[in-house]
Amino acid sequence: MNDSFGKSGNHADDQEDAATIVDRYLGNLGPRRNDGKLAPIPTGFPKLDKCLGGLFPGELTVLAARPGVGKTSLALEIALSAARAGSDVAFFSLEWSAKRVGLTLLSQSSLIPFESLRQCVSGAGETAVDAAGLDIAIAELEGLGMRIYDTPGVSLPEIEATMNVHAGHPGGTLCIATTFN
């Protein structure tokens, strides 16, 4: 009789010590520990952090809503907050260009309205922007551990391979991917 239990079909061979499993999957989180507890990666939204308990490496959190309600902007706010907290952030956008993502991050970091930045960059209109605030925001973004990937059609295995390269960052690694709809 073959009961196909586990990998080998032999119950004795498929067991592992709980401490071994914990060490394999959680052992690399040492720097993220805070007084013996895992320190979550903050979203930047205290009420959301309270509901979710924060974000943790290895977890999949899905943000879903109707088209055009700001999912990508919210995801960028979360990415910015995580990067400010010392996490390594990889942001994959399958819908926005790197330019759009960069301008949105710059707007969020500088508190300069997105439309003002877009007009300033495109040369359309006479939009005045706070140059000093812009310089501070640019310097902040340059110092964060954040990478933007705008590879249309990127597959989940390609995202996973990219994330494996960045795994083990002392502040935790956060992957955010946005797509259409």
Side-chain angles (χ1 to χ4, degrees):
M1 180 174 117
N2 181 3
D3 62 358
S4 300
F5 184 83
K7 296 172 220 150
S8 69
N10 182 338
H11 301 290
D13 292 342
D14 293 329
Q15 59 84 33
E16 276 190 272
D17 182 289
T20 302
I21 292 171
V22 168
D23 186 55
R24 180 177 338 140
Y25 295 106
L26 300 177
N28 65 341
L29 299 177
R32 297 277 318 152
R33 293 174 195 238
N34 183 12
D35 297 329
K37 300 177 187 172
L38 285 177
I41 297 171
T43 65
F45 298 90
K47 288 183 179 181
L48 183 59
D49 285 336
K50 186 175 181 181
C51 290
L52 297 176
L55 303 174
F56 290 89
E59 288 185 345
L60 172 64
T61 304
V62 177
L63 173 64
R66 296 191 53 78
V69 296
K71 295 179 298 294
T72 302
S73 293
L74 177 59
L76 280 169
E77 283 280 359
I78 291 170
L80 185 57
S81 176
R84 284 175 171 157
S87 292
D88 185 42
V89 177
F91 192 93
F92 294 84
S93 180
L94 283 70
E95 62 175 331
W96 286 7
S97 68
K99 179 180 178 180
R100 171 77 188 263
V101 171
L103 280 176
T104 301
L105 281 171
L106 194 54
S107 173
Q108 292 170 341
S109 182
S110 68
L111 303 179
I112 297 171
F114 177 81
E115 284 303 318
S116 297
L117 284 176
R118 183 158 55 181
Q119 288 176 2
C120 181
V121 169
S122 70
E126 296 293 320
T127 304
V129 295
D130 174 18
L134 200 56
D135 288 342
I136 291 169
I138 290 169
E140 177 194 25
L141 291 172
E142 287 174 344
L144 295 177
M146 192 168 182
R147 289 169 315 287
I148 308 301
Y149 298 89
D150 71 337
T151 310
V154 67
S155 68
L156 286 176
E158 291 170 321
I159 291 173
E160 183 180 22
T162 302
M163 293 310 299
N164 286 337
V165 170
H166 301 289
H169 184 275
T173 301
L174 180 65
C175 172
I176 297 179
T178 63
T179 186
F180 298 102
N181 298 334

